[in-house]
PDB file of all heavy atoms in Angstrom:
ATOM      1  N   ASN J  68     117.020  90.259  83.546  1.00  0.00           N
ATOM      2  CA  ASN J  68     118.031  90.120  84.601  1.00  0.00           C
ATOM      3  C   ASN J  68     118.767  91.333  84.892  1.00  0.00           C
ATOM      4  O   ASN J  68     119.429  91.415  85.931  1.00  0.00           O
ATOM      5  CB  ASN J  68     119.029  88.972  84.131  1.00  0.00           C
ATOM      6  CG  ASN J  68     118.410  87.588  84.122  1.00  0.00           C
ATOM      7  OD1 ASN J  68     118.174  86.940  85.173  1.00  0.00           O
ATOM      8  ND2 ASN J  68     118.094  87.187  82.888  1.00  0.00           N
ATOM      9  N   ASN J  69     118.726  92.321  84.007  1.00  0.00           N
ATOM     10  CA  ASN J  69     119.505  93.575  84.230  1.00  0.00           C
ATOM     11  C   ASN J  69     118.606  94.793  83.857  1.00  0.00           C
ATOM     12  O   ASN J  69     119.018  95.566  83.040  1.00  0.00           O
ATOM     13  CB  ASN J  69     120.779  93.589  83.446  1.00  0.00           C
ATOM     14  CG  ASN J  69     121.682  92.366  83.773  1.00  0.00           C
ATOM     15  OD1 ASN J  69     122.396  92.383  84.802  1.00  0.00           O
ATOM     16  ND2 ASN J  69     121.659  91.418  82.879  1.00  0.00           N
ATOM     17  N   SER J  70     117.431  94.798  84.377  1.00  0.00           N
ATOM     18  CA  SER J  70     116.503  95.887  83.946  1.00  0.00           C
ATOM     19  C   SER J  70     116.938  97.233  84.536  1.00  0.00           C
ATOM     20  O   SER J  70     116.513  98.336  84.002  1.00  0.00           O
ATOM     21  CB  SER J  70     115.077  95.541  84.366  1.00  0.00           C
ATOM     22  OG  SER J  70     115.007  95.381  85.836  1.00  0.00           O
ATOM     23  N   VAL J  71     117.680  97.226  85.670  1.00  0.00           N
ATOM     24  CA  VAL J  71     118.101  98.482  86.285  1.00  0.00           C
ATOM     25  C   VAL J  71     119.684  98.457  86.294  1.00  0.00           C
ATOM     26  O   VAL J  71     120.245  97.472  86.730  1.00  0.00           O
ATOM     27  CB  VAL J  71     117.601  98.631  87.718  1.00  0.00           C
ATOM     28  CG1 VAL J  71     118.156  99.901  88.406  1.00  0.00           C
ATOM     29  CG2 VAL J  71     116.058  98.665  87.672  1.00  0.00           C
ATOM     30  N   VAL J  72     120.268  99.601  85.841  1.00  0.00           N
ATOM     31  CA  VAL J  72     121.717  99.644  85.877  1.00  0.00           C
ATOM     32  C   VAL J  72     122.144 100.914  86.594  1.00  0.00           C
ATOM     33  O   VAL J  72     121.371 101.838  86.868  1.00  0.00           O
ATOM     34  CB  VAL J  72     122.282  99.666  84.431  1.00  0.00           C
ATOM     35  CG1 VAL J  72     122.002  98.398  83.714  1.00  0.00           C
ATOM     36  CG2 VAL J  72     121.614 100.895  83.667  1.00  0.00           C
ATOM     37  N   ILE J  73     123.412 100.967  87.047  1.00  0.00           N
ATOM     38  CA  ILE J  73     124.000 102.135  87.702  1.00  0.00           C
ATOM     39  C   ILE J  73     125.038 102.732  86.754  1.00  0.00           C
ATOM     40  O   ILE J  73     126.000 102.026  86.344  1.00  0.00           O
ATOM     41  CB  ILE J  73     124.651 101.744  89.038  1.00  0.00           C
ATOM     42  CG1 ILE J  73     123.554 101.158  90.007  1.00  0.00           C
ATOM     43  CG2 ILE J  73     125.352 102.911  89.668  1.00  0.00           C
ATOM     44  CD1 ILE J  73     124.134 100.641  91.343  1.00  0.00           C
ATOM     45  N   THR J  74     124.853 103.998  86.501  1.00  0.00           N
ATOM     46  CA  THR J  74     125.816 104.686  85.575  1.00  0.00           C
ATOM     47  C   THR J  74     126.128 105.988  86.189  1.00  0.00           C
ATOM     48  O   THR J  74     125.517 106.498  87.169  1.00  0.00           O
ATOM     49  CB  THR J  74     125.169 104.954  84.220  1.00  0.00           C
ATOM     50  OG1 THR J  74     123.995 105.721  84.342  1.00  0.00           O
ATOM     51  CG2 THR J  74     124.815 103.609  83.542  1.00  0.00           C
ATOM     52  N   TYR J  75     127.104 106.688  85.654  1.00  0.00           N
ATOM     53  CA  TYR J  75     127.471 108.048  86.132  1.00  0.00           C
ATOM     54  C   TYR J  75     126.478 109.072  85.559  1.00  0.00           C
ATOM     55  O   TYR J  75     125.996 108.926  84.411  1.00  0.00           O
ATOM     56  CB  TYR J  75     128.867 108.403  85.737  1.00  0.00           C
ATOM     57  CG  TYR J  75     129.944 107.853  86.581  1.00  0.00           C
ATOM     58  CD1 TYR J  75     130.721 106.784  86.237  1.00  0.00           C
ATOM     59  CD2 TYR J  75     130.182 108.473  87.856  1.00  0.00           C
ATOM     60  CE1 TYR J  75     131.677 106.279  87.034  1.00  0.00           C
ATOM     61  CE2 TYR J  75     131.191 107.923  88.651  1.00  0.00           C
ATOM     62  CZ  TYR J  75     131.937 106.833  88.231  1.00  0.00           C
ATOM     63  OH  TYR J  75     132.899 106.309  89.078  1.00  0.00           O
ATOM     64  N   ALA J  76     126.117 110.051  86.361  1.00  0.00           N
ATOM     65  CA  ALA J  76     125.210 111.111  85.914  1.00  0.00           C
ATOM     66  C   ALA J  76     125.852 111.967  84.886  1.00  0.00           C
ATOM     67  O   ALA J  76     127.092 111.966  84.706  1.00  0.00           O
ATOM     68  CB  ALA J  76     124.783 111.858  87.101  1.00  0.00           C
ATOM     69  N   THR J  77     125.117 112.711  84.169  1.00  0.00           N
ATOM     70  CA  THR J  77     125.640 113.645  83.217  1.00  0.00           C
ATOM     71  C   THR J  77     126.048 115.002  83.734  1.00  0.00           C
ATOM     72  O   THR J  77     126.782 115.705  83.076  1.00  0.00           O
ATOM     73  CB  THR J  77     124.633 113.846  82.043  1.00  0.00           C
ATOM     74  OG1 THR J  77     123.388 114.333  82.577  1.00  0.00           O
ATOM     75  CG2 THR J  77     124.333 112.521  81.326  1.00  0.00           C
ATOM     76  N   ARG J  78     125.571 115.334  84.942  1.00  0.00           N
ATOM     77  CA  ARG J  78     125.885 116.595  85.570  1.00  0.00           C
ATOM     78  C   ARG J  78     126.415 116.370  86.964  1.00  0.00           C
ATOM     79  O   ARG J  78     125.913 115.515  87.688  1.00  0.00           O
ATOM     80  CB  ARG J  78     124.673 117.549  85.558  1.00  0.00           C
ATOM     81  CG  ARG J  78     124.190 118.002  84.269  1.00  0.00           C
ATOM     82  CD  ARG J  78     123.062 119.018  84.377  1.00  0.00           C
ATOM     83  NE  ARG J  78     122.677 119.464  83.055  1.00  0.00           N
ATOM     84  CZ  ARG J  78     121.683 120.374  82.931  1.00  0.00           C
ATOM     85  NH1 ARG J  78     121.078 120.920  83.941  1.00  0.00           N
ATOM     86  NH2 ARG J  78     121.393 120.826  81.697  1.00  0.00           N
ATOM     87  N   SER J  79     127.394 117.152  87.341  1.00  0.00           N
ATOM     88  CA  SER J  79     127.934 117.048  88.656  1.00  0.00           C
ATOM     89  C   SER J  79     127.182 117.866  89.667  1.00  0.00           C
ATOM     90  O   SER J  79     126.334 118.766  89.285  1.00  0.00           O
ATOM     91  CB  SER J  79     129.409 117.542  88.668  1.00  0.00           C
ATOM     92  OG  SER J  79     129.510 118.860  88.265  1.00  0.00           O
ATOM     93  N   LEU J  80     127.339 117.611  90.984  1.00  0.00           N
ATOM     94  CA  LEU J  80     126.729 118.334  92.049  1.00  0.00           C
ATOM     95  C   LEU J  80     127.778 119.112  92.854  1.00  0.00           C
ATOM     96  O   LEU J  80     128.863 118.622  93.018  1.00  0.00           O
ATOM     97  CB  LEU J  80     125.969 117.397  92.979  1.00  0.00           C
ATOM     98  CG  LEU J  80     124.792 116.619  92.461  1.00  0.00           C
ATOM     99  CD1 LEU J  80     124.272 115.691  93.496  1.00  0.00           C
ATOM    100  CD2 LEU J  80     123.719 117.593  92.012  1.00  0.00           C
ATOM    101  N   HIS J  81     127.390 120.296  93.363  1.00  0.00           N
ATOM    102  CA  HIS J  81     128.280 120.990  94.257  1.00  0.00           C
ATOM    103  C   HIS J  81     128.126 120.363  95.614  1.00  0.00           C
ATOM    104  O   HIS J  81     127.094 119.896  95.981  1.00  0.00           O
ATOM    105  CB  HIS J  81     127.906 122.501  94.271  1.00  0.00           C
ATOM    106  CG  HIS J  81     128.993 123.393  94.754  1.00  0.00           C
ATOM    107  ND1 HIS J  81     129.245 123.527  96.142  1.00  0.00           N
ATOM    108  CD2 HIS J  81     129.921 124.107  94.177  1.00  0.00           C
ATOM    109  CE1 HIS J  81     130.259 124.366  96.322  1.00  0.00           C
ATOM    110  NE2 HIS J  81     130.681 124.736  95.131  1.00  0.00           N
ATOM    111  N   VAL J  82     129.246 120.481  96.422  1.00  0.00           N
ATOM    112  CA  VAL J  82     129.226 119.754  97.760  1.00  0.00           C
ATOM    113  C   VAL J  82     128.267 120.446  98.726  1.00  0.00           C
ATOM    114  O   VAL J  82     127.861 119.788  99.663  1.00  0.00           O
ATOM    115  CB  VAL J  82     130.647 119.740  98.326  1.00  0.00           C
ATOM    116  CG1 VAL J  82     131.604 118.913  97.528  1.00  0.00           C
ATOM    117  CG2 VAL J  82     131.174 121.189  98.461  1.00  0.00           C
ATOM    118  N   TRP J  83     127.859 121.707  98.425  1.00  0.00           N
ATOM    119  CA  TRP J  83     126.869 122.278  99.339  1.00  0.00           C
ATOM    120  C   TRP J  83     125.429 121.672  99.123  1.00  0.00           C
ATOM    121  O   TRP J  83     124.572 121.938  99.974  1.00  0.00           O
ATOM    122  CB  TRP J  83     126.805 123.817  99.175  1.00  0.00           C
ATOM    123  CG  TRP J  83     126.355 124.349  97.832  1.00  0.00           C
ATOM    124  CD1 TRP J  83     127.169 124.692  96.829  1.00  0.00           C
ATOM    125  CD2 TRP J  83     125.028 124.518  97.381  1.00  0.00           C
ATOM    126  NE1 TRP J  83     126.395 125.053  95.774  1.00  0.00           N
ATOM    127  CE2 TRP J  83     125.093 124.989  96.090  1.00  0.00           C
ATOM    128  CE3 TRP J  83     123.764 124.333  97.960  1.00  0.00           C
ATOM    129  CZ2 TRP J  83     123.991 125.309  95.327  1.00  0.00           C
ATOM    130  CZ3 TRP J  83     122.662 124.582  97.227  1.00  0.00           C
ATOM    131  CH2 TRP J  83     122.774 125.123  95.946  1.00  0.00           C
ATOM    132  N   GLN J  84     125.270 120.917  98.109  1.00  0.00           N
ATOM    133  CA  GLN J  84     124.035 120.203  97.870  1.00  0.00           C
ATOM    134  C   GLN J  84     124.036 118.874  98.648  1.00  0.00           C
ATOM    135  O   GLN J  84     122.990 118.169  98.666  1.00  0.00           O
ATOM    136  CB  GLN J  84     123.770 119.908  96.377  1.00  0.00           C
ATOM    137  CG  GLN J  84     123.656 121.189  95.578  1.00  0.00           C
ATOM    138  CD  GLN J  84     123.555 120.909  94.060  1.00  0.00           C
ATOM    139  OE1 GLN J  84     124.520 120.909  93.365  1.00  0.00           O
ATOM    140  NE2 GLN J  84     122.315 120.688  93.678  1.00  0.00           N
ATOM    141  N   ILE J  85     125.110 118.499  99.314  1.00  0.00           N
ATOM    142  CA  ILE J  85     125.251 117.272  99.973  1.00  0.00           C
ATOM    143  C   ILE J  85     125.674 117.516 101.423  1.00  0.00           C
ATOM    144  O   ILE J  85     126.470 118.394 101.678  1.00  0.00           O
ATOM    145  CB  ILE J  85     126.317 116.360  99.347  1.00  0.00           C
ATOM    146  CG1 ILE J  85     125.931 116.066  97.864  1.00  0.00           C
ATOM    147  CG2 ILE J  85     126.523 115.043 100.102  1.00  0.00           C
ATOM    148  CD1 ILE J  85     127.052 115.410  97.081  1.00  0.00           C
ATOM    149  N   PRO J  86     125.089 116.852 102.428  1.00  0.00           N
ATOM    150  CA  PRO J  86     125.433 117.180 103.807  1.00  0.00           C
ATOM    151  C   PRO J  86     126.893 116.722 104.126  1.00  0.00           C
ATOM    152  O   PRO J  86     127.415 115.825 103.535  1.00  0.00           O
ATOM    153  CB  PRO J  86     124.427 116.386 104.694  1.00  0.00           C
ATOM    154  CG  PRO J  86     124.041 115.266 103.763  1.00  0.00           C
ATOM    155  CD  PRO J  86     124.046 115.863 102.310  1.00  0.00           C
ATOM    156  N   PHE J  87     127.538 117.486 105.052  1.00  0.00           N
ATOM    157  CA  PHE J  87     128.805 117.098 105.571  1.00  0.00           C
ATOM    158  C   PHE J  87     128.550 115.793 106.411  1.00  0.00           C
ATOM    159  O   PHE J  87     127.547 115.565 106.945  1.00  0.00           O
ATOM    160  CB  PHE J  87     129.303 118.175 106.478  1.00  0.00           C
ATOM    161  CG  PHE J  87     130.792 118.107 106.726  1.00  0.00           C
ATOM    162  CD1 PHE J  87     131.720 118.612 105.857  1.00  0.00           C
ATOM    163  CD2 PHE J  87     131.297 117.549 107.932  1.00  0.00           C
ATOM    164  CE1 PHE J  87     133.081 118.581 106.041  1.00  0.00           C
ATOM    165  CE2 PHE J  87     132.685 117.516 108.151  1.00  0.00           C
ATOM    166  CZ  PHE J  87     133.528 117.978 107.255  1.00  0.00           C
ATOM    167  N   PRO J  88     129.517 114.923 106.376  1.00  0.00           N
ATOM    168  CA  PRO J  88     129.296 113.627 107.083  1.00  0.00           C
ATOM    169  C   PRO J  88     129.062 113.797 108.572  1.00  0.00           C
ATOM    170  O   PRO J  88     129.580 114.704 109.191  1.00  0.00           O
ATOM    171  CB  PRO J  88     130.587 112.786 106.784  1.00  0.00           C
ATOM    172  CG  PRO J  88     131.610 113.802 106.499  1.00  0.00           C
ATOM    173  CD  PRO J  88     130.888 114.969 105.798  1.00  0.00           C
ATOM    174  N   ALA J  89     128.333 112.860 109.141  1.00  0.00           N
ATOM    175  CA  ALA J  89     128.292 112.814 110.603  1.00  0.00           C
ATOM    176  C   ALA J  89     129.571 112.200 111.075  1.00  0.00           C
ATOM    177  O   ALA J  89     130.114 111.301 110.510  1.00  0.00           O
ATOM    178  CB  ALA J  89     127.114 111.961 111.013  1.00  0.00           C
ATOM    179  N   VAL J  90     130.134 112.782 112.186  1.00  0.00           N
ATOM    180  CA  VAL J  90     131.436 112.330 112.727  1.00  0.00           C
ATOM    181  C   VAL J  90     131.154 111.858 114.163  1.00  0.00           C
ATOM    182  O   VAL J  90     130.748 112.608 115.035  1.00  0.00           O
ATOM    183  CB  VAL J  90     132.405 113.489 112.730  1.00  0.00           C
ATOM    184  CG1 VAL J  90     133.756 112.974 113.216  1.00  0.00           C
ATOM    185  CG2 VAL J  90     132.572 114.074 111.310  1.00  0.00           C
ATOM    186  N   THR J  91     131.437 110.596 114.391  1.00  0.00           N
ATOM    187  CA  THR J  91     131.273 110.045 115.737  1.00  0.00           C
ATOM    188  C   THR J  91     132.693 109.738 116.303  1.00  0.00           C
ATOM    189  O   THR J  91     133.486 109.019 115.634  1.00  0.00           O
ATOM    190  CB  THR J  91     130.455 108.750 115.715  1.00  0.00           C
ATOM    191  OG1 THR J  91     129.151 108.993 115.171  1.00  0.00           O
ATOM    192  CG2 THR J  91     130.287 108.142 117.117  1.00  0.00           C
ATOM    193  N   ILE J  92     132.963 110.283 117.492  1.00  0.00           N
ATOM    194  CA  ILE J  92     134.300 110.150 118.117  1.00  0.00           C
ATOM    195  C   ILE J  92     134.120 109.472 119.480  1.00  0.00           C
ATOM    196  O   ILE J  92     133.362 109.913 120.224  1.00  0.00           O
ATOM    197  CB  ILE J  92     134.969 111.529 118.318  1.00  0.00           C
ATOM    198  CG1 ILE J  92     135.095 112.248 116.976  1.00  0.00           C
ATOM    199  CG2 ILE J  92     136.346 111.359 118.936  1.00  0.00           C
ATOM    200  CD1 ILE J  92     135.631 113.661 117.100  1.00  0.00           C
TER     201      ILE J  92
END
Side-chain angles (χ1 to χ4, degrees):
N68 293 282
N69 303 282
S70 58
V71 178
V72 294
I73 299 179
T74 61
Y75 279 103
T77 56
R78 293 185 178 182
S79 62
L80 294 176
H81 199 280
V82 293
W83 63 263
Q84 297 175 268
I85 301 171
F87 199 80
V90 183
T91 302
I92 303 175

